[in-house]
Amino acid sequence: MKKIKKAIIPAAGLGTRFLPATKAMPKEMLPIVDRPTIEYIVEEAIESGIEEIIIVTGKGKRAIEDHFDRNFELEDNLMKKGNFELLDKINQSSKVEIHYIRQKEPKGLGHAIWCARKFIGDEPFAVLLGDDIVQAEKPCLKQLIEQYEETELSIVGVQKVSDEETQRYGIIAPSVMKGRRYQVDTFVEKPALGTAPSNLAIMGRYILTPEIFDFLDKLETGTGNEIQLTDAIQKLNEVQVVFAYDFEGKRYDVGEKLGFVKTTIDMALKDEEIKDELMRYLIQKLEKNKLEIANFKSLY
Ligand code: UTP
């Protein structure tokens, strides 16, 4: 069996939901407390046993490369000050080899993955999207890799979403279920409201066999005028089983504003340095706004 050693992190999207913040800064570099979102993703890959990562970047994404590069001046400064804790923090990603490839135009997630085909070659591989951060006892990607080791077939991470949310995701039509693993009849990208075949949404973690590139090669643009990964997965599933796995853990949607703010609050409440003061602030704020809260509650 071929081991999963390589991962693709696509990061060439325009990040329009965070404009104007993302006009000159990649959305993957927006910080959750004190770490850019992409660092959480790289950390999950490392903890799942990934040895090499390729980040698909695009125009205006130089800050990502700089972030994962060594900064000798800063290291020297921290060393002289004896700040070894920070020194360790800024060099976390040196535990993995990171490569970069440019997607010249943001033609969609499917196209971004296709851009990394030469790096992947003829091996199964992982894909992690920066829009989803998962906090779990066992890293989400590791859960999927263990499923791959049982099946040696492609597998996508899914979780349940509400009826209203299904139109924002790739949705599966599940058939046979074994534990948390599903066989899938069809994969549909962003179904129109009320037409989703289930509430199981694809959540930005994938293990794919290299055969996916045969379909990405031929794919035309789909929903949103983009080359969709979900469409290629649907085609692959017609000739080679693609499973879905309802992974364990709390998923944070950092790809949109409200999700990003909620994630920041949750992560800050786990940060030893600031959690008590933040909790005090939140309680104070709630107490001050008791009347507003009562009005809000009466509305819903
Ligand atoms: P999204 O659609 O969530 O990201 O794509 P976006 O396009 O950057 O964000 P909005 O919708 O404009 O706010 C999911 C992932 O796929 C990458 C994105 O960087 C993101 O990590 N992506 C998307 C690419 O790498 N290339 C593309 O052409 C499109």
Side-chain angles (χ1 to χ4, degrees):
M1 184 186 55
K2 286 187 179 162
K3 233 183 116 208
I4 311 286
K5 290 184 286 194
K6 294 178 181 172
I8 304 176
I9 301 181
L14 295 175
T16 45
R17 282 169 289 178
F18 283 95
L19 280 171
T22 46
K23 192 175 165 207
M25 178 169 71
K27 93 169 167 187
E28 297 75 15
M29 289 303 294
L30 294 175
I32 308 257
V33 190
D34 56 4
R35 297 166 66 202
T37 54
I38 196 165
E39 207 175 283
Y40 288 86
I41 308 301
V42 167
E43 187 181 86
E44 181 185 328
I46 296 172
E47 285 175 356
S48 304
I50 294 296
E51 293 167 18
E52 276 184 87
I53 291 175
I54 187 157
I55 301 181
V56 184
T57 66
K59 196 174 174 302
K61 302 277 182 167
R62 271 299 300 274
I64 298 178
E65 292 183 42
D66 288 342
H67 179 73
F68 290 115
D69 203 358
R70 299 281 299 267
N71 181 337
F72 292 107
E73 238 175 73
L74 179 62
E75 284 176 33
D76 186 51
N77 186 292
L78 292 173
M79 187 94 83
K80 281 184 183 141
K81 286 183 179 148
N83 198 338
F84 298 107
E85 201 188 328
L86 262 188
L87 198 58
D88 188 48
K89 270 191 186 171
I90 65 162
N91 282 327
Q92 280 300 316
S93 54
S94 58
K95 293 176 190 148
V96 72
E97 221 176 295
I98 302 184
H99 310 263
Y100 301 90
I101 186 137
R102 255 177 112 87
Q103 183 190 21
K104 292 198 178 76
E105 252 182 274
K107 291 190 196 165
L109 174 59
H111 182 257
I113 302 302
W114 179 83
C115 289
R117 68 200 179 285
K118 290 197 179 124
F119 166 81
I120 298 297
D122 192 26
E123 291 177 37
F125 61 98
V127 175
L128 300 99
L129 304 193
D131 283 358
D132 298 303
I133 290 181
V134 184
Q135 296 276 295
E137 231 166 83
K138 186 183 286 178
C140 176
L141 186 64
K142 197 168 171 48
Q143 296 178 43
L144 294 192
I145 290 175
E146 287 179 358
Q147 292 299 312
Y148 171 81
E149 285 166 354
E150 273 182 36
T151 61
E152 293 186 45
L153 288 163
S154 300
I155 183 143
V156 303
V158 294
Q159 272 196 346
K160 284 207 175 72
V161 294
S162 67
D163 290 346
E164 298 71 44
E165 285 175 311
T166 51
Q167 57 185 331
R168 290 175 33 210
Y169 294 92
I171 301 289
I172 65 159
S175 58
V176 187
M177 183 181 172
K178 185 180 171 217
R180 303 179 79 96
R181 190 170 78 212
Y182 297 89
Q183 277 190 29
V184 180
D185 276 339
T186 44
F187 294 82
V188 198
E189 183 61 24
K190 301 192 175 77
L193 193 60
T195 66
S198 80
N199 289 60
L200 290 164
I202 304 175
M203 288 303 178
R205 297 294 183 274
Y206 311 73
I207 302 293
L208 296 168
T209 57
E211 286 78 19
I212 193 76
F213 293 116
D214 299 341
F215 300 99
L216 286 172
D217 267 341
K218 296 181 215 132
L219 219 59
E220 316 245 303
T221 51
T223 313
N225 215 18
E226 293 191 338
I227 296 180
Q228 297 290 353
L229 181 60
T230 310
D231 295 345
I233 290 175
Q234 165 60 22
K235 295 261 182 247
L236 177 63
N237 192 40
E238 286 164 17
V239 295
Q240 184 188 83
V241 175
V242 179
F243 290 104
Y245 185 72
D246 184 2
F247 60 83
E248 288 178 71
K250 177 154 175 56
R251 184 206 53 125
Y252 290 96
D253 182 0
V254 292
E256 52 97 25
K257 274 191 275 189
L258 181 60
F260 188 88
V261 173
K262 285 182 185 172
T263 313
T264 302
I265 294 172
D266 274 16
M267 297 298 179
L269 286 171
K270 286 182 189 155
D271 185 318
E272 288 303 326
E273 206 182 315
I274 57 172
K275 66 177 192 188
D276 292 344
E277 199 48 47
L278 175 64
M279 184 59 96
R280 226 168 277 138
Y281 173 76
L282 291 175
I283 293 170
Q284 229 176 44
K285 205 157 177 55
L286 288 177
E287 277 175 356
K288 252 195 203 157
N289 294 316
K290 264 186 186 151
L291 187 62
E292 265 179 54
I293 293 169
N295 286 341
F296 183 80
K297 276 188 178 160
S298 69
L299 285 175
Y300 295 95

